[in-house]
Amino acid sequence: MPTRQIKKMKKYILLLSTVIALGALTSCNKKTEISLNIACPSGAPAVALYNMYKNANVEINADANNVIGYLSTDSNKDIVIAPTNALVAVVKKNAPFKIAATVTFGNFYIASTGNDDNGTMDKSDYVVLFQQNGLPDKIFKYVYGTDFDNLHYVTAASDANKCLISGINASDNNNIVDYVLVPQPALTTGLSKNANASLYADVQSDYKIKSNGLEITQASIFVRDSADKTQVNAFLNQIEEDIKNLLKKPSLIEDALKGLEDEQAQAKFGANATMLKTVLSNNSLGLGFKYALTNKASIDNFLISLNFSNEETSENVYYQ
């Protein structure tokens, strides 16, 4: 074969190889269109859906009890993001859902108002918690003990934050407050509005020490048994990728929430885009992604240590 023809043949082969490679790459990058019905409570868990919250099939509900209610036989939801402890009710009621992955790993912090003389949270200090007998209360007592003499409760995280900002508990005759349990992103706002306040403890870190390295598994993804597995896997893959990208580049939240008024962002995600970018920069929001079955030890510890359950979970309740 003449040299010129050989050169033409090589060019043709190279061009063909490039076309095939590009075609394969396009095929690999093509995302499955997700049409599952999804429900999630507002706040930190909803941040996991920052890249798809505008979809008509995604419901972000301010009432967490309504979302938990979707974990039932007559639910029309394929995916429900809910407190991990909802798994206990799912098992008890034999609801047709499996736990697939955890997306928030705790966003609780103890802040000092600056009123305590010795700067150490002692058992007699005036400490404000929120949601008595709820998750924040249970975590605090598990990590720091049940023998505090001066615990006081407010209803919501926003009420706890008011105590941090003012240094007093208006619901308890304006008594002086020493320490407050506050979640992010409220904590950042509270600290910025009280010049004497400071971060005292990262509850997540203290929980890990108490649990020998196991972590808080706060909110998880539950999957309906009858949901299309291809769709579910595509959803889980996308959420995992979205969260990793967001933690690497927190400014993505500003792009995703563009067009939302601050009040709308607050209602859906617990803060506006600027504040979310701030707390995502060091991930004090506790956002992440871990498949539930591979993190079973942490889930079991979370449920048992906080008295949601008295036994380890069966592998049958995990999405595989």
Side-chain angles (χ1 to χ4, degrees):
M1 183 180 292
T3 303
R4 185 178 297 178
Q5 286 182 327
I6 292 174
K7 287 182 178 180
K8 285 184 177 180
M9 182 68 72
K10 285 182 178 179
K11 287 182 180 180
Y12 174 77
I13 292 172
L14 179 61
L15 178 61
L16 182 61
S17 299
T18 302
V19 171
I20 292 172
L22 287 173
L25 183 61
T26 303
S27 175
C28 289
N29 288 339
K30 187 178 181 181
K31 289 186 176 181
T32 301
E33 189 69 28
I34 298 169
S35 58
L36 300 167
N37 288 323
I38 301 162
C40 178
S42 59
V47 178
L49 299 174
Y50 76 95
N51 214 13
M52 60 176 72
Y53 76 95
K54 293 179 181 179
N55 295 358
N57 57 317
V58 175
E59 174 188 335
I60 296 177
N61 198 311
D63 190 334
N65 289 325
N66 287 343
V67 177
I68 293 172
Y70 286 131
L71 293 169
S72 61
T73 303
D74 57 354
S75 169
N76 67 339
K77 303 300 181 184
D78 302 299
I79 300 287
V80 178
I81 301 178
T84 303
N85 52 279
L87 180 60
V88 177
V90 167
V91 172
K92 186 175 181 180
K93 296 178 181 179
N94 199 28
F97 284 85
K98 298 285 191 297
I99 187 169
T102 300
V103 291
T104 61
F105 296 86
N107 60 338
F108 300 112
Y109 298 85
I110 295 174
S112 168
T113 61
N115 293 329
D116 187 26
D117 291 336
N118 67 1
T120 301
M121 188 174 68
D122 300 313
K123 301 294 183 180
S124 59
D125 285 333
Y126 192 111
V127 179
V128 171
L129 309 180
F130 64 100
Q131 293 180 13
Q132 187 171 13
N133 298 320
L135 181 61
D137 187 19
K138 286 176 178 287
I139 287 180
F140 179 90
K141 288 177 177 174
Y142 168 67
V143 175
Y144 302 106
T146 59
D147 55 344
F148 282 78
D149 302 327
N150 214 0
L151 289 182
H152 298 268
Y153 293 91
V154 292
T155 303
S158 57
D159 300 316
N161 205 33
K162 289 175 184 177
C163 294
L164 173 59
I165 293 168
S166 66
I168 61 173
N169 187 355
S171 65
D172 185 31
N173 299 314
N174 290 332
N175 270 305
I176 294 175
V177 175
D178 295 314
Y179 298 92
V180 188
L181 180 70
V182 187
Q184 281 286 33
L187 173 70
T188 299
T189 301
L191 292 176
S192 70
K193 293 184 177 181
N194 180 348
N196 296 318
S198 61
L199 176 64
Y200 179 77
D202 180 335
V203 178
Q204 287 64 233
S205 295
D206 291 344
Y207 179 99
K208 275 189 174 182
I209 293 170
K210 175 82 172 181
S211 298
N212 296 317
L214 300 175
E215 58 198 341
I216 293 172
T217 52
Q218 191 171 352
S220 294
I221 298 171
F222 292 82
V223 175
R224 174 175 281 280
D225 292 343
S226 59
D228 181 88
K229 195 156 187 174
T230 300
Q231 287 270 306
V232 169
N233 290 341
F235 170 79
L236 293 173
N237 288 337
Q238 182 172 337
I239 290 295
E240 181 178 21
E241 181 182 352
D242 286 347
I243 290 174
K244 286 180 178 178
N245 289 339
L246 183 60
L247 294 178
K248 286 179 183 176
K249 188 179 179 182
S251 60
L252 289 174
I253 197 71
E254 293 177 318
D255 298 333
L257 272 56
K258 193 173 292 183
L260 276 187
E261 299 290 337
D262 282 356
E263 293 79 9
Q264 294 173 310
Q266 175 79 36
K268 287 183 182 292
F269 304 104
N272 63 28
T274 302
M275 180 63 72
L276 287 171
K277 180 184 174 183
T278 298
V279 296
L280 285 165
S281 64
N282 61 1
N283 198 21
S284 55
L285 198 63
L287 191 67
F289 184 98
K290 286 188 179 181
Y291 281 99
L293 184 57
T294 60
N295 203 28
K296 183 179 183 296
S298 286
I299 291 174
D300 285 337
N301 179 74
F302 177 79
L303 296 177
I304 295 171
S305 297
L306 302 183
N307 297 314
F308 290 115
S309 176
N310 57 11
E311 60 183 2
E312 293 183 356
T313 53
S314 165
E315 290 192 5
N316 294 332
V317 303
Y318 290 82
Y319 177 81
Q320 299 180 55

